[in-house]
Amino acid sequence: MKDQYAFGVDIGGTNTKIGLFNVAGELLSFRIHPTPKDCGPALFIQQLSQECEHILASELKIKLGDKSILGVGAGAPMANYFTGRVDHAPNLGWKDVPLKELFATHFKTHAIIENDANLAAMGENKWGAGKHLSDFILITLGTGVGSGLILNNKLYRGANGLGGEGGHVIIPHEKRRLCSCGGMNHLESYLSAKGIKQTIKELTHEEWTIEKLGIIFREGDLRATTIINAIVDELVSGLVSMSVLIGPEAFVIGGGVSKLGEAFNQLIENKLNNQVHYSLRGKIKVLSASVSAEKGAVYGGAALIFDEVTH
Ligand SMILES: [Zn+2]
């Protein structure tokens, strides 16, 4: 059993991560490097495959195309599992990319592509914070706001592969904001890194990094506490609506912004359980992502391959 392997890949707007896994979910090799801005997707996937060739040579003394490699599962923003394509990913500058086909060709194996937040949810469900949960929603707070729905222990994709986009639910807010997608008052307009920085500026007239916000919040700074409360209120607005619809056991919070820490999660859990419909009060946990916290969608990519190929 142990000599079956899969690659998980996470293509992000800033960095691309690659992990080689065995079927037990052990990460044998992990690499991270900047996502190139100037080369097209075809050349980029070819370069990734060459890197994976090096990983296989050093770790397992085998080559791409070996039968023990069951596949490559790759996450990218707006990647569609059903069509195998990325129609439009502004953060990557990609349009009409046949991503699944590119991976299958260059990696010489079975390929799956999936929305990055969906894959992060898969990874948490199989090996991480959601291992003992059957129904949860993963929220990634980073450059954008993504979400992945695990319902009854399965990833929910919707009819067209485009479901579960919790970053684009509309929240009530007196300060209207345009979302990166063109919509108005979407959760992402307030909770993306850019949105949080805008809130900081509106409240302090200063430019703070999110790291600084986290540090002085933990020191008990009054202004930082005010900002964190404002951000959590905005997030909870969205989570309350998702909660009544789905009835999740938990929200699993990942992405760079989630590094605000345990006190941030605790505040979300308290406010959520105060504001949600009375029937759900006290029943919804807020947890930190584990396997996807640093390594994004790579665990999920491998999990999806093992699930599909071995079942
Ligand atoms: Zn939007």
Side-chain angles (χ1 to χ4, degrees):
M1 272 296 269
K2 275 219 163 183
D3 56 353
Q4 290 184 321
Y5 307 97
F7 280 106
V9 178
D10 183 345
I11 302 172
T14 311
N15 289 313
T16 292
K17 299 161 184 167
I18 305 168
L20 172 65
F21 293 83
N22 66 20
V23 74
E26 288 165 342
L27 181 56
L28 306 176
S29 175
F30 179 75
R31 294 192 187 183
I32 176 166
H33 46 76
T35 305
K37 301 280 178 220
D38 44 0
C39 81
L43 182 59
F44 174 47
I45 304 306
Q46 189 188 2
Q47 288 169 353
L48 281 184
S49 71
Q50 285 162 355
E51 176 150 13
C52 288
E53 201 73 271
H54 293 306
I55 292 172
L56 288 177
S58 67
E59 294 293 327
L60 303 171
K61 316 278 182 253
I62 57 173
K63 290 183 167 183
L64 282 175
D66 190 282
K67 281 196 167 46
S68 65
I69 312 286
L70 299 189
V72 51
M78 299 313 293
N80 189 309
Y81 172 82
F82 293 115
T83 64
R85 302 177 71 87
V86 176
D87 289 336
H88 186 204
N91 285 343
L92 300 170
W94 288 4
K95 263 190 167 169
D96 299 319
V97 177
L99 191 62
K100 178 175 171 162
E101 192 185 311
L102 288 173
F103 269 105
T105 304
H106 292 293
F107 281 70
K108 301 172 194 163
T109 184
H110 178 60
I112 292 170
I113 67 158
E114 178 61 88
N115 171 286
D116 48 359
N118 284 2
L119 273 192
M122 279 288 301
E124 294 296 339
N125 189 217
K126 194 166 172 82
W127 291 311
K131 196 174 169 182
H132 302 293
L133 303 174
S134 60
D135 298 83
F136 70 91
I137 301 175
L138 174 124
I139 304 279
T140 58
L141 303 173
T143 312
V145 175
S147 71
L149 270 60
I150 300 291
L151 305 182
N152 201 12
N153 269 318
K154 281 179 104 169
L155 179 63
Y156 179 79
R157 298 187 170 94
N160 38 30
L162 300 172
E165 281 291 343
H168 302 277
V169 297
I170 296 171
I171 64 166
H173 207 289
E174 71 258 19
K175 287 202 168 115
R176 281 162 64 78
R177 270 192 206 169
L178 193 64
C179 184
S180 62
C181 72
M184 193 59 82
N185 281 30
H186 291 183
L187 188 58
E188 180 168 302
S189 353
Y190 304 93
L191 265 296
S192 64
K194 191 176 153 211
I196 290 174
K197 283 180 189 162
Q198 191 176 335
T199 301
I200 292 170
K201 188 139 193 220
E202 284 171 6
L203 292 175
T204 65
H205 305 290
E206 290 173 19
E207 310 254 358
W208 296 2
T209 62
I210 290 166
E211 288 72 25
K212 175 179 171 177
L213 173 65
I215 290 165
I216 64 174
F217 169 60
R218 283 190 287 277
E219 288 167 353
D221 180 272
L222 207 59
R223 283 197 302 172
T225 306
T226 305
I227 294 163
I228 291 282
N229 270 288
I231 293 167
V232 169
D233 284 339
E234 289 157 350
L235 176 59
V236 164
S237 277
L239 302 191
V240 161
S241 298
M242 295 180 217
S243 297
V244 286
L245 195 64
I246 304 293
E249 296 165 276
F251 286 93
V252 176
I253 312 286
V257 175
S258 66
K259 287 181 193 150
L260 289 171
E262 201 44 52
F264 178 65
N265 284 359
Q266 197 55 55
L267 193 59
I268 300 169
E269 187 173 296
N270 292 346
K271 284 183 185 262
L272 173 62
N273 280 292
N274 276 327
Q275 291 175 35
V276 76
H277 188 268
Y278 66 86
S279 61
L280 293 171
R281 278 183 199 163
K283 295 191 171 77
I284 307 171
K285 292 191 186 73
V286 174
L287 309 169
S288 295
S290 58
V291 294
S292 65
E294 301 290 334
K295 300 189 169 66
V298 299
Y299 274 87
L304 197 52
I305 292 290
F306 289 131
D307 276 7
E308 290 206 350
V309 176
T310 57
H311 289 142

